[in-house]
Amino acid sequence: MTAHAEAPIKSPQDAACRNEARAKVFVTPDLGGIGLYAIGRQIYSACMTRSQPRTARRRR
């Protein structure tokens, strides 16, 4: 097994989302058989998306 170094934390949101992913990765069902790393990335990505400020979009 090789050690995997994490990238440096870039923002408070980054730190919060990493903590959320660590807390939820082992309790989230792996229905698709994608593995823990992929589940953690999904949780992290969803958290980062939620933490972004919403921008107004114009309808065409």
Side-chain angles (χ1 to χ4, degrees):
M1 179 183 231
T2 59
H4 186 281
E6 292 183 8
I9 295 173
K10 298 180 190 270
S11 68
Q13 293 84 7
D14 181 29
C17 290
R18 288 181 191 210
N19 288 336
E20 180 179 326
R22 282 187 199 106
K24 292 182 178 180
V25 72
F26 290 110
V27 295
T28 301
D30 186 5
L31 302 176
I34 59 175
L36 292 175
Y37 182 79
I39 291 172
R41 290 287 301 160
Q42 287 178 350
I43 295 167
Y44 174 83
S45 295
C47 176
M48 289 299 285
T49 300
R50 282 192 319 268
S51 69
Q52 297 299 315
R54 295 186 184 241
T55 58
R57 293 185 183 175
R58 293 182 94 179
R59 287 185 138 182
R60 292 183 184 196

